[in-house]
Amino acid sequence: MPAPAPRTILLTGAAGKVGTLMRELLPPYGYELRLLDVSPIADAPDAITADLADRAALREAVRGVDAVVHLAGISGESSFDRILRANIEGTYNLYEAAREEGVRRVVFASSNHAVGFAPLPAADGEGLIPVGGPHRPDTFYGLSKCFGEDLAQLYWDRLGLETVSVRIGSCFPEPTTVRMLSIWLSPADGARLLHAALGAENVGHTVCYGSSANTRLPWDLSTARALGYEPQDDAEVYAEKLIAEQGEQDPANPEHTVLGGHFATRPATWPN
Ligand code: NAI
Ligand code: 15L
């Protein structure tokens, strides 16, 4: 008998940008959401206000859920110490709580910045970024996502705790830069992808890229599609406006030659 589809989900990072979108978009798929964030959520009085450093609170938060969607953490470059606490130790604490409480699956918000130094495909589309290539983090932030993916692999290989690590591109209501035309994940497609990642059978530890079906796709979406994900959106509808404002990507500009874009060339806090 296949395992029943998960129903009760702990959504960490529920106060954030993606969390706020998913609080609206996931319940129509039939999920009951338990919310957690270090920031209080004004319109959700039942949300758990807790830091990922609080292992007792995490253990209570995961108790009885079918799966966790783990969005919480620092979502851009910062000092190594801050990244260490929130993203590295915080994700470890979350997995320990899941292990202790017998949660069978985590969907982990990884990032394109885990492979931010991967070269972009040629203009003719040759050389899509593979899903099985080496980690090439572009920042301490990206490095923490590599850690999260490897932690997920360990917890699968040693303990049988399943994870889908989604290397999200840019999940915002609309793409706001020409770079995002390739890696935009529309909120509706984001919910479709999370639903697929929560419901697919026998995922082990699956790594996939997270984007819409963009005309300028730089990466291999096959492992996301293998989960049952069928993206419906394409950022190209925003191309004319964004290119008129910002111009096309320039292959002579190093920022435009790698997946991570400005993350790879302008880390905000280097050296720490
Ligand atoms: P965000 O910064 O808006 O939200 C992150 C949330 O995590 C915040 O509400 C924050 O309060 C919470 N948080 C931070 N540290 C915490 C801690 N120690 N304990 C508990 N909660 C904590 O980020 P966004 O854009 O919503 O991203 C969500 C996740 O998806 C992040 O993990 C990010 O790295 C990842 N991601 C997002 C992308 C995007 O395009 N929005 C792209 C790639 C990855
Ligand atoms: C990310 O990982 C960030 O969390 C998000 O805020 C965007 O900057 C995104 O990558 C991106 O690369 O556009």
XYZ file of all heavy atoms in Angstrom, residues 63-140:
582
model
N 5.665 17.593 16.316
C 4.960 16.415 16.852
C 3.618 16.225 16.132
O 2.793 17.131 16.086
C 4.744 16.592 18.357
C 4.266 15.332 19.053
C 4.412 15.469 20.557
N 5.810 15.648 20.954
C 6.224 16.417 21.965
N 5.352 17.083 22.689
N 7.512 16.513 22.244
N 3.454 15.063 15.518
C 2.170 14.730 14.891
C 1.995 15.221 13.466
O 0.968 14.945 12.854
N 2.979 15.938 12.917
C 2.784 16.392 11.533
C 3.193 15.279 10.566
O 3.984 14.396 10.898
C 3.548 17.698 11.202
C 3.124 18.834 12.124
C 5.055 17.497 11.212
N 2.640 15.350 9.357
C 2.979 14.360 8.337
C 4.260 14.739 7.613
O 4.965 13.862 7.099
C 1.837 14.252 7.328
C 0.567 13.754 8.000
O 0.595 12.639 8.541
O -0.428 14.489 8.005
N 4.551 16.017 7.539
C 5.755 16.475 6.832
C 6.052 17.911 7.245
O 5.210 18.589 7.836
C 5.557 16.398 5.316
N 7.263 18.331 6.936
C 7.688 19.711 7.214
C 8.092 20.378 5.900
O 8.804 19.770 5.099
C 8.910 19.727 8.166
C 9.384 21.162 8.414
C 8.590 19.037 9.491
N 7.625 21.590 5.691
C 8.168 22.430 4.616
C 9.056 23.447 5.313
O 8.565 24.303 6.072
C 7.046 23.114 3.805
C 7.639 24.098 2.810
C 6.195 22.064 3.079
N 10.353 23.313 5.096
C 11.324 24.101 5.874
C 11.823 25.293 5.058
O 12.735 25.184 4.247
C 12.488 23.202 6.280
C 13.535 23.906 7.093
N 13.224 24.804 8.094
C 14.900 23.848 7.047
C 14.348 25.271 8.622
N 15.372 24.717 8.002
N 11.205 26.448 5.334
C 11.574 27.694 4.651
C 12.366 28.622 5.556
O 12.986 29.574 5.071
C 10.310 28.455 4.215
C 9.288 27.755 3.325
C 8.096 28.679 3.091
C 9.904 27.368 1.988
N 12.347 28.392 6.863
C 12.919 29.375 7.793
C 14.426 29.476 7.641
O 15.115 28.486 7.382
C 12.576 28.997 9.231
N 14.923 30.663 7.834
C 16.363 30.892 7.814
C 16.677 32.237 7.193
O 15.776 32.986 6.797
N 17.948 32.536 7.148
C 18.402 33.771 6.509
C 18.392 33.518 5.011
O 18.943 32.516 4.526
C 19.799 34.144 7.024
C 19.706 34.477 8.517
C 20.376 35.314 6.237
C 21.041 34.649 9.197
N 17.745 34.414 4.257
C 17.466 34.118 2.851
C 18.391 34.846 1.881
O 18.096 34.929 0.686
C 16.006 34.443 2.549
O 15.754 35.803 2.834
N 19.501 35.361 2.387
C 20.479 36.007 1.516
C 21.820 35.998 2.226
O 21.954 35.427 3.314
N 22.814 36.649 1.617
C 24.145 36.598 2.216
C 24.179 37.384 3.533
O 23.498 38.400 3.707
C 25.197 37.137 1.233
C 26.620 37.084 1.729
C 27.148 35.678 2.094
O 26.373 34.862 2.606
O 28.346 35.423 1.880
N 24.972 36.872 4.463
C 25.125 37.505 5.772
C 26.475 37.076 6.326
O 27.263 36.431 5.631
C 23.967 37.073 6.676
O 23.968 37.812 7.869
N 26.731 37.406 7.591
C 28.001 36.976 8.181
C 27.957 35.459 8.400
O 26.880 34.871 8.578
C 28.227 37.659 9.527
O 27.339 37.136 10.491
N 29.135 34.841 8.425
C 29.163 33.389 8.624
C 28.506 33.027 9.946
O 27.796 32.027 10.037
C 30.597 32.847 8.560
C 30.618 31.354 8.712
C 30.238 30.540 7.662
C 30.976 30.768 9.913
C 30.202 29.161 7.797
C 30.952 29.388 10.066
C 30.570 28.585 9.006
N 28.728 33.830 10.981
C 28.164 33.491 12.293
C 26.634 33.467 12.275
O 26.010 32.588 12.865
C 28.653 34.481 13.361
C 30.094 34.193 13.773
O 30.596 33.100 13.427
O 30.714 35.064 14.408
N 26.047 34.439 11.591
C 24.573 34.470 11.531
C 24.048 33.297 10.706
O 23.081 32.642 11.071
C 24.089 35.803 10.937
C 24.315 36.996 11.866
C 23.637 38.244 11.314
N 22.190 38.142 11.392
C 21.363 38.326 10.368
N 21.827 38.645 9.171
N 20.056 38.212 10.522
N 24.726 33.040 9.591
C 24.330 31.909 8.732
C 24.485 30.594 9.504
O 23.640 29.698 9.415
C 25.219 31.884 7.462
C 24.975 33.132 6.606
C 25.032 30.596 6.679
C 23.795 33.091 5.694
N 25.576 30.501 10.247
C 25.839 29.279 11.021
C 24.680 28.990 11.976
O 24.162 27.870 12.041
C 27.153 29.433 11.784
C 27.558 28.279 12.698
C 27.830 27.011 11.895
C 28.797 28.647 13.521
N 24.269 30.017 12.699
C 23.222 29.813 13.717
C 21.860 29.497 13.087
O 21.203 28.524 13.456
C 23.105 31.043 14.618
C 24.092 31.024 15.776
C 23.739 32.057 16.824
N 23.853 33.412 16.301
C 24.991 34.093 16.220
N 26.120 33.548 16.634
N 25.021 35.317 15.734
N 21.465 30.331 12.123
C 20.086 30.184 11.606
C 19.974 29.040 10.592
O 19.029 28.243 10.655
C 19.640 31.496 10.965
N 20.913 28.969 9.665
C 20.726 28.048 8.535
C 21.384 26.691 8.763
O 20.841 25.665 8.352
C 21.287 28.666 7.253
C 20.487 29.876 6.790
O 19.718 30.447 7.549
N 20.677 30.274 5.546
N 22.558 26.692 9.381
C 23.273 25.420 9.537
C 22.813 24.734 10.820
O 22.217 23.661 10.787
C 24.798 25.665 9.466
C 25.156 26.205 8.062
C 25.567 24.396 9.800
C 26.617 26.490 7.810
N 23.038 25.390 11.970
C 22.573 24.772 13.221
C 21.039 24.685 13.244
O 20.477 23.695 13.720
C 23.083 25.571 14.429
C 24.598 25.464 14.567
C 25.157 26.302 15.715
O 24.404 27.066 16.354
O 26.360 26.172 15.959
N 20.378 25.702 12.718
C 18.914 25.706 12.726
C 18.336 24.549 11.929
O 17.376 23.887 12.362
N 18.916 24.271 10.766
C 18.405 23.162 9.949
C 18.722 21.823 10.610
O 17.898 20.898 10.618
C 18.971 23.265 8.521
O 18.557 24.531 7.970
C 18.462 22.157 7.624
N 19.913 21.735 11.204
C 20.237 20.515 11.978
C 19.224 20.309 13.102
O 18.709 19.191 13.303
C 21.657 20.626 12.537
C 21.949 19.605 13.612
C 22.140 18.260 13.292
C 21.995 19.986 14.952
C 22.375 17.316 14.293
C 22.242 19.046 15.949
C 22.425 17.720 15.622
O 22.648 16.796 16.601
N 18.914 21.373 13.839
C 17.953 21.254 14.940
C 16.586 20.776 14.435
O 15.917 19.962 15.074
C 17.788 22.599 15.660
C 19.031 22.976 16.453
O 19.846 22.120 16.783
N 19.184 24.263 16.755
N 16.203 21.292 13.288
C 14.907 20.907 12.713
C 14.911 19.418 12.350
O 13.964 18.685 12.649
C 14.669 21.796 11.488
C 13.323 21.863 10.772
C 13.193 20.852 9.668
C 12.119 21.735 11.723
N 15.985 18.953 11.729
C 16.061 17.532 11.360
C 16.120 16.647 12.601
O 15.554 15.550 12.610
C 17.264 17.266 10.434
C 16.910 17.439 8.978
C 16.836 18.706 8.407
C 16.613 16.343 8.178
C 16.482 18.870 7.086
C 16.259 16.496 6.847
C 16.192 17.758 6.309
O 15.830 17.920 4.987
N 16.805 17.093 13.635
C 16.839 16.305 14.864
C 15.431 16.189 15.458
O 15.019 15.114 15.892
C 17.796 16.948 15.880
C 19.221 16.498 15.685
C 19.347 14.980 15.865
O 19.453 14.516 17.003
O 19.312 14.268 14.851
N 14.703 17.294 15.455
C 13.329 17.243 15.972
C 12.498 16.281 15.129
O 11.728 15.470 15.668
C 12.719 18.645 15.955
N 12.670 16.347 13.800
C 11.909 15.448 12.911
C 12.278 13.991 13.184
O 11.409 13.110 13.239
C 12.178 15.817 11.456
N 13.546 13.732 13.376
C 13.983 12.356 13.681
C 13.375 11.876 14.988
O 12.812 10.776 15.063
C 15.513 12.312 13.775
C 16.070 10.935 14.135
C 17.562 10.976 14.406
N 17.932 11.757 15.584
C 17.796 11.341 16.850
N 17.328 10.145 17.116
N 18.147 12.138 17.860
N 13.468 12.729 15.995
C 12.985 12.320 17.317
C 11.480 12.052 17.321
O 10.998 11.192 18.057
C 13.325 13.403 18.359
C 14.813 13.434 18.690
C 15.241 14.696 19.444
O 14.530 15.721 19.387
O 16.297 14.645 20.082
N 10.759 12.801 16.497
C 9.297 12.661 16.497
C 8.795 11.763 15.363
O 7.584 11.636 15.154
C 8.643 14.044 16.406
C 8.858 14.896 17.655
C 8.227 14.289 18.906
O 7.167 13.620 18.803
O 8.804 14.471 20.007
N 9.717 11.180 14.597
C 9.297 10.218 13.566
C 8.617 10.842 12.360
O 7.794 10.195 11.699
N 8.952 12.079 12.044
C 8.379 12.707 10.842
C 9.029 12.064 9.621
O 10.243 11.875 9.589
C 8.649 14.234 10.852
C 8.122 14.889 9.580
C 8.003 14.867 12.078
N 8.213 11.738 8.611
C 8.799 10.936 7.535
C 9.355 11.760 6.371
O 10.120 11.255 5.566
C 7.821 9.885 7.026
C 6.666 10.424 6.233
C 5.748 9.299 5.747
N 4.591 9.854 5.071
C 4.559 10.137 3.781
N 5.584 9.897 3.002
N 3.472 10.665 3.254
N 8.962 13.039 6.265
C 9.462 13.796 5.102
C 9.630 15.280 5.407
O 8.807 15.885 6.092
C 8.505 13.656 3.923
C 9.055 14.331 2.656
C 8.227 14.038 1.430
N 8.152 12.614 1.122
C 7.538 12.105 0.070
N 6.953 12.919 -0.784
N 7.516 10.801 -0.146
N 10.693 15.831 4.842
C 10.946 17.282 4.866
C 11.050 17.754 3.426
O 11.637 17.074 2.582
C 12.268 17.602 5.611
C 12.595 19.094 5.535
C 12.194 17.148 7.076
N 10.455 18.892 3.141
C 10.733 19.574 1.874
C 11.582 20.782 2.245
O 11.144 21.658 3.005
C 9.442 19.992 1.143
C 9.781 20.737 -0.146
C 8.581 18.765 0.849
N 12.808 20.775 1.768
C 13.807 21.761 2.191
C 13.969 22.837 1.118
O 14.243 22.526 -0.048
C 15.143 21.049 2.428
C 16.314 21.972 2.632
C 16.302 22.942 3.628
C 17.440 21.875 1.831
C 17.378 23.805 3.813
C 18.531 22.734 2.004
C 18.487 23.703 3.003
N 13.835 24.098 1.540
C 14.037 25.219 0.614
C 15.528 25.435 0.437
O 16.163 26.208 1.155
C 13.361 26.475 1.155
N 16.100 24.722 -0.542
C 17.472 25.014 -0.943
C 17.425 26.193 -1.916
O 16.393 26.867 -2.028
C 18.110 23.764 -1.556
O 19.471 24.015 -1.859
N 18.502 26.437 -2.576
C 18.557 27.644 -3.408
C 19.458 27.437 -4.612
O 20.408 26.632 -4.575
C 19.109 28.808 -2.569
O 19.394 29.927 -3.381
N 19.181 28.203 -5.638
C 20.083 28.236 -6.812
C 21.505 28.599 -6.381
O 22.467 28.248 -7.063
C 19.537 29.190 -7.876
C 19.586 30.659 -7.494
O 20.584 31.338 -7.713
N 18.506 31.178 -6.911
N 21.641 29.275 -5.221
C 22.973 29.712 -4.797
C 23.831 28.576 -4.226
O 25.010 28.793 -3.936
C 22.850 30.899 -3.847
C 22.190 32.059 -4.519
N 22.822 32.793 -5.507
C 20.932 32.556 -4.414
C 21.983 33.716 -5.963
N 20.829 33.595 -5.318
N 23.254 27.376 -4.098
C 24.069 26.192 -3.783
C 24.979 25.835 -4.957
O 26.001 25.167 -4.792
C 23.177 25.003 -3.427
N 24.576 26.286 -6.143
C 25.364 26.031 -7.363
C 25.533 27.340 -8.142
O 25.530 27.357 -9.369
C 24.719 24.929 -8.240
C 24.889 23.561 -7.610
C 23.243 25.199 -8.497
N 25.697 28.424 -7.375
C 25.693 29.754 -7.988
C 26.831 30.011 -8.960
O 26.724 30.892 -9.818
N 27.915 29.244 -8.831
C 29.020 29.413 -9.785
C 28.905 28.494 -10.995
O 29.819 28.449 -11.829
C 30.379 29.228 -9.094
C 30.900 30.521 -8.515
C 30.916 30.730 -7.141
C 31.348 31.545 -9.347
C 31.378 31.932 -6.604
C 31.805 32.751 -8.823
C 31.821 32.946 -7.445
N 27.796 27.787 -11.122
C 27.590 26.974 -12.338
C 27.455 27.918 -13.531
O 26.687 28.891 -13.476
C 26.337 26.134 -12.192
N 28.205 27.651 -14.607
C 28.102 28.532 -15.777
C 26.731 28.431 -16.431
O 26.170 27.345 -16.526
C 29.196 28.020 -16.732
C 29.894 26.912 -16.039
C 29.171 26.577 -14.770
N 26.223 29.566 -16.876
C 24.927 29.567 -17.559
C 25.064 28.932 -18.943
O 26.150 28.972 -19.549
C 24.420 31.009 -17.687
C 23.930 31.627 -16.374
C 23.676 33.119 -16.551
C 22.674 30.921 -15.867
N 23.981 28.346 -19.456
C 24.036 27.760 -20.789
C 24.351 28.810 -21.858
O 24.147 30.013 -21.628
C 22.624 27.211 -21.007
C 21.935 27.273 -19.707
C 22.659 28.244 -18.835
N 24.819 28.343 -23.002
C 25.062 29.241 -24.136
C 23.731 29.818 -24.622
O 22.655 29.330 -24.266
C 25.738 28.450 -25.257
N 23.830 30.858 -25.443
C 22.621 31.542 -25.922
C 21.684 30.597 -26.660
O 20.457 30.776 -26.632
C 23.030 32.703 -26.824
N 22.244 29.564 -27.315
C 21.368 28.618 -28.034
C 20.759 27.571 -27.092
O 20.096 26.635 -27.544
C 22.141 27.924 -29.161
C 23.308 27.081 -28.636
O 23.462 26.972 -27.400
O 24.057 26.536 -29.467
N 20.996 27.715 -25.784
C 20.392 26.792 -24.815
C 21.235 25.557 -24.544
O 20.871 24.726 -23.705
N 22.383 25.426 -25.259
C 23.257 24.266 -25.012
C 23.861 24.349 -23.610
O 24.277 25.427 -23.177
C 24.410 24.258 -26.038
C 24.116 23.517 -27.328
C 23.731 22.054 -27.098
O 24.544 21.304 -26.546
O 22.599 21.689 -27.474
N 23.926 23.213 -22.924
C 24.622 23.175 -21.634
C 23.750 23.522 -20.452
O 24.168 24.251 -19.553
N 22.523 22.986 -20.439
C 21.657 23.188 -19.265
C 22.388 22.754 -17.999
O 23.101 21.743 -18.001
C 20.391 22.346 -19.402
C 19.268 22.832 -20.308
C 18.058 21.919 -20.169
C 18.889 24.282 -19.996
N 22.198 23.473 -16.918
C 22.850 23.132 -15.645
C 22.232 21.834 -15.117
O 21.009 21.763 -14.925
C 22.686 24.284 -14.635
C 23.373 25.549 -15.177
C 23.262 23.900 -13.283
C 23.048 26.817 -14.401
N 23.085 20.817 -14.907
C 22.544 19.523 -14.483
C 22.190 19.543 -13.004
O 22.726 20.348 -12.243
C 23.712 18.553 -14.745
C 24.928 19.406 -14.578
C 24.552 20.800 -15.026
N 21.322 18.627 -12.612
C 20.941 18.571 -11.200
C 21.980 17.796 -10.387
O 22.105 17.994 -9.175
C 19.515 17.991 -11.075
C 19.488 16.484 -11.121
C 18.805 18.522 -9.859
N 22.759 16.944 -11.054
C 23.710 16.106 -10.327
C 25.142 16.619 -10.342
O 26.060 15.900 -9.952
N 25.330 17.852 -10.737
C 26.683 18.411 -10.766
C 27.176 18.736 -9.361
O 26.438 18.591 -8.379
N 28.433 19.167 -9.250
C 28.970 19.472 -7.926
C 28.337 20.722 -7.318
O 27.888 21.617 -8.031
C 30.463 19.716 -8.199
C 30.528 20.118 -9.632
C 29.404 19.412 -10.329
N 28.343 20.764 -5.985
C 27.981 22.006 -5.308
C 28.977 23.086 -5.696
O 30.195 22.848 -5.706
C 28.011 21.808 -3.789
C 26.830 21.054 -3.260
N 26.845 20.371 -2.062
C 25.570 20.900 -3.745
C 25.659 19.826 -1.845
N 24.869 20.128 -2.852
N 28.483 24.269 -5.993
C 29.363 25.413 -6.300
C 28.769 26.651 -5.648
O 28.294 27.569 -6.323
C 29.519 25.589 -7.819
C 30.177 24.384 -8.481
C 30.541 24.647 -9.911
N 31.630 25.628 -10.004
C 32.218 25.959 -11.146
N 31.826 25.412 -12.293
N 33.192 26.851 -11.173
N 28.779 26.695 -4.295
C 28.126 27.818 -3.607
C 28.792 29.143 -3.963
O 30.006 29.206 -4.142
C 28.324 27.476 -2.124
C 29.518 26.567 -2.085
C 29.441 25.767 -3.358
N 27.971 30.182 -4.017
C 28.516 31.497 -4.380
C 28.678 32.414 -3.176
O 29.176 33.545 -3.330
C 27.651 32.155 -5.467
C 26.176 32.268 -5.103
O 25.845 32.273 -3.899
O 25.347 32.362 -6.037
N 28.248 31.970 -1.994
C 28.216 32.804 -0.782
C 28.205 31.865 0.430
O 28.014 30.651 0.283
C 26.884 33.600 -0.740
O 25.838 32.709 -1.133
C 26.882 34.824 -1.624
N 28.358 32.438 1.636
C 28.138 31.619 2.831
C 26.676 31.141 2.863
O 26.381 30.043 3.332
C 28.459 32.403 4.104
C 29.925 32.692 4.268
C 30.373 33.999 4.449
C 30.857 31.671 4.253
C 31.721 34.260 4.609
C 32.213 31.926 4.410
C 32.644 33.221 4.583
